[in-house]
Amino acid sequence: MSTGTGTDGSRIPEAFVDGPAFIPYLAAGDPDLESTKEYVRALVRGGADVVELGLPFSEPIAEGSTIQNAIVRSLEGGMTPEAYFGLVDDLDVDVPIVCMTYYNLIYRYGEEEGPEPFVRRASEVGIDGFVVPDLPAEESGPLREACDAHGLDLIFIVAPTTRGERLERIMSQVSGYVYVQARLGTTGARTDVSDQTDTSLERLREWDVPKAVGFGISEREHAERIVAGGADGIIVGSALVDVVAEGDTEEGTVSERLERKARELKEGALAGAEDRPQPERP
């Protein structure tokens, strides 16, 4: 499956080959490093195909209150870029890991300014790609070059309002998958599926790159509806971070509940793929 620019040897597009991909998000270090490792394992047991692991930043402009609170807990617990890299290096899961973070942390890492040292270190510990919400495609050249040099993917977010020349520029730079923002605003679990999702997917149909929809997905029915509408994958964050924030309950430990939720969402995505209209045979 081809991508906008592509990186040779990337594992991320492979996650979409056998059906819709389930991509969960967690904030690394919430509430601590060892718990994050176990939670990632639980999500993979439940069916995760790719894991977006957030590197917390103090000004997360794309995030709603749920993930903002998780970031605060992580930072108060001592999360740093080096701790993050150590966490990823220790993970023993066989799925691609995507680092979701903000460009300040990438640009200022190491002795020299610029993204290359951060990307090099990420490749050493096994990170497969990046989502950087505050980096415009127009200014992404240095990070794109560093990712290409080290074989990592650079994933962009496409909002419901993104179109025209800006959309063309994003899709010429993206690789791995494109993160389709289901609705305007910040992240957060919702009780419905936005009508903007279908419009966004239709606008991207001409590009041969996996389309993963995020922002607001929290239930099996959401996953089924979105994949049936043409998405190649679903991205779920706040609904899972809520489970972490609640801690162990009478319904099970955090790990048990994350695994169940992951399985529910993955099954919804698979059901959605079966519901897609089949092309007519000649």
Side-chain angles (χ1 to χ4, degrees), residues 76-99:
E76 289 180 345
M79 176 54 64
T80 65
E82 285 304 332
Y84 179 90
F85 288 138
L87 165 63
V88 175
D89 200 24
D90 287 342
L91 283 175
D92 52 357
V93 294
D94 190 23
V95 300
I97 302 295
V98 171
C99 173

Side-chain angles (χ1 to χ4, degrees), residues 7 18 21 39 62 64 121 162 228 247:
T7 51
D18 295 327
Y39 298 163
R121 181 69 177 127
T162 307

Side-chain angles (χ1 to χ4, degrees), residues 109-155:
Y109 179 82
E111 296 181 359
E112 298 181 6
E113 291 186 344
E116 205 284 336
F118 190 99
V119 176
R120 181 176 66 249
R121 181 69 177 127
S123 70
E124 292 171 352
V125 301
I127 289 170
D128 295 274
F130 297 100
V131 179
V132 188
D134 64 336
L135 180 64
E138 293 83 355
E139 300 175 17
S140 65
L143 181 56
R144 174 76 272 171
E145 292 175 7
C147 286
D148 286 345
H150 293 281
L152 276 65
D153 282 307
L154 182 55
I155 298 144

